[in-house]
């Protein structure tokens, strides 16, 4: 049976954009995104979407009110849908068994219980959130044990591979769509029903179908491999700095080997985002649970290296600034975890700012998309006191204000606009010697030096 009505639980960075794209591409399907957060839903229904993504406004505008709806009526949306995406958060558990590694599945479980309670007839439940392998079993048993109206369910896994900042492009033209289901006639029919939705705009040969466990595991493994490449090149960035090699040149040289490939070899202050660290920790927990400590340890190193990269950047700054940053103004350019997003989850900037503040630096932070309130909240959550934020953090409206009177500037996000900064003007505005710490290799080292800066660019020998 073709799908006529879709609902998605969770209007976050994944649920919102993904459903907007499905609605835009499938005008005959009613798509409702439900979330318990009233403010978030109100924002999706306004002119200022809660998620910044290039091109997203147009996709939402093309379908909203027609077949795309954002609501807080979670029960009503579930009841009306043939197919339900579950895209609620699955943060790393902060308490109890598996704290710091396992995924916290309480939102998934409460979503499953609610679906069971309000459903009638046949429904397809799709795991969109990244979850540990075998979560589908848990969802299935909760659904089966809690359906007063005799509803029947098929559970599918359909992980999302979009990257923030390029979400619209990634959804428009994905490398692949992965759908996992049970190898039964009903399971196959459910897989086919979902595949037909994507087939409206994605070539069939890019729609892969697997068993449930392969699909669930593939999402964790894809993110672990991507993050591993970044930790690998970041480990080499330290060696480049020590030897006089240039990490961008090394990345280019190795990336031209088609077996290695050129993507995801950009050295940085460390990867961030809501997925990489969480998914690797999840994988590590899974390996430990299946008594595979060597495999767990192998992947754990990817996260350790990432943490080390962030702390060595701060150490480099403090050491270079004559071993003290106490009372010194430091311009921080970029706070988002990558360019073209307003998302700051796990951003390297949070740890770096926290550590500089613990050294009593004065931070003047500029990011083109991240709000002052978000920065404030992130620093608080990272353990910086309200008092220290009030006295030592200034949020600036442009990069030039941030660097005025500063001892140093640090670039922490690779926003395109930083590539065309007026370097002579910045030099004039800063105290001398004017120190630059480019954690994203976005500034041209040669011109920094030519303009008189004392420059450190990640992965470039000095
Ligand atoms: C989500 C998952 O967190 C992640 O595991 C997966 O990899 C991708 O999908 P994201 O969309 O970025 O990521 O999360 P977030 O922006 O936090 O959105 C989740 C939304 O679910 C929030 O708006 C939250 O209010 C909502 N939610 C959460 C519910 O509506 N009900 C709940 O019970 C829990
Ligand atoms: C990632 C995956 O790419 C995506 O497929 C999955 O669905 C969710 O997780 P996302 O976290 O949104 O997407 O962004 P991504 O582009 O992967 O960047 C993650 C982090 O790695 C960012 O902090 C980015 O700056 C950093 N990065 C990326 C590098 O430091 N170097 C690189 O070469 C690439």
């Amino acid at each position: 049976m073709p799908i006529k009505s879709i609902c998605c639980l969770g209007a976050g960075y994944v649920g919102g954009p993904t459903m907007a794209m499905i609605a835009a591409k499938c005008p005959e399907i009613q798509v409702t995104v439900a979330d318990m957060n009233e403010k978030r839903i109100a924002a999706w229904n306004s002119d200022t979407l809660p998620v910044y993504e290039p091109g997203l406004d147009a996709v939402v505008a093309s379908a909203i009110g027609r077949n795309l709806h954002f609501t807080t009526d979670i029960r009503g949306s579930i009841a009306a849908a043939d197919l339900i995406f579950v895209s609620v958060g699955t943060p790393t558990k902060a308490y109890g068994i598996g704290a710091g590694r396992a995924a916290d599945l309480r939102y998934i479980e409460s979503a499953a219980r609610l679906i069971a309670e309000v459903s009638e007839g046949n429904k397809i439940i799709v795991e969109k959130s990244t979850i540990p392998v075998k979560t589908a079993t848990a969802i299935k048993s909760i659904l089966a044990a809690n359906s007063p109206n005799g509803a029947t369910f098929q559970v599918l896994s359909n992980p999302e591979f979009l990257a923030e900042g390029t979400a619209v492009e990634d959804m428009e033209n994905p490398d692949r769509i992965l759908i996992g289901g049970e190898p039964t006639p009903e399971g196959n029919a459910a897989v086919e029903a979902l595949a037909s939705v994507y087939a409206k705009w994605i070539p069939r040969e890019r729609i892969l179908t697997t068993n449930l466990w392969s699909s669930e595991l593939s999402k964790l493994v894809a993110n672990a491999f991507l993050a591993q490449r970044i930790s690998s090149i970041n480990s080499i960035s330290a060696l480049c700095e020590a030897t006089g090699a240039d990490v961008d040149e090394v990345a280019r040289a190795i990336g031209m080997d088609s077996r290695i490939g050129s993507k995801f070899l950009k050295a940085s202050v460390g990867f961030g985002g809501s997925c990489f660290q969480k998914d690797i920790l999840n994988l590590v927990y899974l390996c430990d649970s299946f008594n595979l400590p060597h495999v767990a340890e192998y992947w754990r190193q990817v996260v350790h290296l990432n943490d080390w990269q962030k702390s060595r950047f701060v150490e480099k700054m403090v050491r270079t600034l004559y071993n003290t940053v106490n009372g010194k103004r430091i311009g921080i350019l970029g706070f988002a975890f990558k360019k073209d997003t307003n998302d700051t989850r796990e951003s390297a900037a949070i740890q770096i700012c926290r550590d500089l503040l613990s050294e009593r630096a004065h931070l003047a932070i500029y990011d083109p998309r991240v709000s002052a309130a978000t920065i404030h909240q992130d620093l608080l959550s990272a353990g910086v006191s309200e008092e220290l934020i009030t006295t030592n953090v200034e949020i600036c409206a442009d990069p030039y204000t941030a660097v005025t009177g500063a001892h140093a500037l640090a670039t922490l996000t690779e926003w395109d606009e930083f590539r065309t900064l007026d370097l002579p003007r910045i030099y004039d505005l800063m105290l001398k010697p004017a120190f630059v710490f480019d954690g994203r290799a976005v500034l041209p080292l040669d011109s920094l030096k030519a303009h008189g800066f004392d420059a450190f660019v990640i992965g470039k020998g000095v």
Side-chain angles (χ1 to χ4, degrees):
M1 260 229 328
I3 303 294
K4 293 202 190 70
S5 174
I6 288 178
C7 129
C8 174
L9 306 182
Y13 282 88
V14 170
T18 316
M19 292 308 117
M21 181 59 77
I22 291 179
K25 298 291 185 185
C26 309
E28 70 288 0
I29 301 177
Q30 287 298 316
V31 181
T32 304
V33 192
D35 199 299
M36 60 190 184
N37 183 334
E38 284 177 22
K39 257 173 73 184
R40 205 168 241 203
I41 290 299
W44 279 110
N45 284 317
S46 77
D47 290 336
T48 314
L49 303 183
V51 166
Y52 172 72
E53 273 294 339
L56 182 62
D57 287 6
V59 177
V60 172
S62 73
I64 198 155
R66 176 189 73 184
N67 65 327
L68 175 64
H69 316 278
F70 291 93
T71 179
T72 52
D73 177 13
I74 301 180
R75 287 168 175 268
S77 318
I78 294 172
D82 313 318
L83 183 148
I84 299 159
F85 283 100
V86 180
S87 190
V88 297
T90 50
T92 304
K93 252 183 109 176
Y95 53 87
I97 300 169
R101 292 176 298 159
D104 190 339
L105 294 178
R106 66 188 150 142
Y107 303 122
I108 297 273
E109 173 161 350
S110 56
R113 287 185 187 275
L114 191 62
I115 291 170
E117 193 188 316
V118 301
S119 292
E120 289 178 19
N122 304 321
K123 289 201 196 292
I124 301 173
I125 313 302
V126 185
E127 301 171 343
K128 201 57 161 161
S129 306
T130 307
I131 25 76
V133 180
K134 300 255 167 179
T135 302
T137 315
I139 297 183
K140 264 194 320 208
S141 61
I142 292 170
L143 290 171
N146 294 282
S147 301
N149 310 315
T152 54
F153 301 97
Q154 281 301 316
V155 179
L156 304 180
S157 157
N158 172 221
E160 186 49 65
F161 293 107
L162 67 81
E164 289 175 33
T166 52
V168 171
E169 219 175 294
D170 293 346
M171 289 185 301
E172 185 95 40
N173 190 21
D175 286 348
R176 79 315 205 174
I177 292 289
L178 181 56
I179 305 175
E182 281 193 285
T184 59
E186 298 79 16
N188 292 338
V191 168
E192 177 48 34
L194 180 58
S196 309
V197 173
Y198 287 113
K200 294 271 162 49
W201 79 98
I202 295 160
R204 278 278 173 172
E205 62 274 15
R206 283 198 234 155
I207 303 177
L208 297 186
T209 58
T210 65
N211 75 33
L212 273 171
W213 324 130
S214 303
S215 172
E216 289 183 338
L217 187 58
S218 296
K219 170 70 193 243
L220 298 184
V221 174
N223 277 343
F225 269 61
L226 290 168
Q228 180 199 41
R229 283 175 70 93
I230 303 170
S231 278
S232 295
I233 200 70
N234 281 346
S235 74
I236 300 304
S237 73
L239 192 58
C240 288
E241 289 157 26
T243 56
D246 176 326
V247 78
D248 285 339
E249 291 179 353
V250 174
R252 183 148 186 269
I254 63 167
M256 281 173 77
D257 183 328
S258 60
R259 294 168 303 175
I260 296 175
S262 60
K263 293 178 181 165
F264 264 69
L265 288 178
K266 184 74 188 155
S268 66
V269 270
F271 59 75
S274 70
C275 285
F276 281 177
Q277 175 165 315
K278 180 186 73 167
D279 290 356
I280 294 173
L281 292 174
N282 218 315
L283 187 65
V284 165
Y285 187 68
L286 205 65
C287 296
D288 277 334
S289 317
F290 286 99
N291 200 22
L292 295 167
H294 298 87
V295 187
E297 192 47 38
Y298 178 77
W299 289 106
R300 198 177 272 125
Q301 281 306 319
V302 174
V303 175
H304 283 170
L305 199 290
N306 196 50
D307 288 337
W308 178 73
Q309 185 77 346
K310 291 181 269 188
S311 41
R312 86 178 180 91
F313 188 76
V314 173
E315 278 167 26
K316 174 80 188 175
M317 289 181 74
V318 175
R319 239 184 304 117
T320 309
L321 294 166
Y322 314 112
N323 288 311
T324 177
V325 290
N326 193 324
K328 289 182 179 169
R329 182 179 173 92
I330 298 177
I332 299 288
L333 303 189
F335 201 83
F337 83 97
K338 62 186 281 196
K339 72 172 182 176
D340 291 341
T341 179
N342 60 345
D343 194 351
T344 59
R345 287 177 290 179
E346 304 293 340
S347 179
I350 299 174
Q351 185 182 318
I352 288 165
C353 289
R354 180 200 66 196
D355 292 353
L356 288 171
L357 285 167
S358 72
E359 295 284 337
R360 297 293 181 269
H362 277 262
L363 303 184
I365 305 174
Y366 165 72
D367 187 286
R369 289 284 168 185
V370 178
S371 70
T374 300
I375 295 174
H376 192 116
Q377 187 51 50
D378 286 341
L379 293 175
L380 268 183
S381 306
V384 183
S385 71
E386 184 75 59
E387 192 193 344
L388 195 56
I389 297 176
T390 311
T391 54
N392 286 34
V393 177
E394 177 187 333
I395 308 298
C396 302
D398 70 275
Y400 300 100
T401 312
V403 301
T404 301
H407 290 258
L409 81 81
T411 45
L412 302 185
T413 311
E414 74 285 22
W415 286 101
D416 285 336
E417 64 180 68
F418 298 159
R419 296 179 191 276
T420 52
L421 286 171
D422 182 345
L423 294 178
R425 183 174 165 205
I426 290 187
Y427 185 78
D428 284 344
L429 290 169
M430 288 177 68
L431 297 182
K432 311 298 175 308
F435 289 101
V436 170
F437 300 91
D438 182 2
R440 289 290 189 164
V442 283
L443 304 175
L445 185 55
D446 291 346
S447 25
L448 283 172
K449 285 186 173 160
H451 287 107
F453 290 97
D454 239 303
F456 165 75
V457 178
I458 198 105
K460 313 258 172 181
V462 275

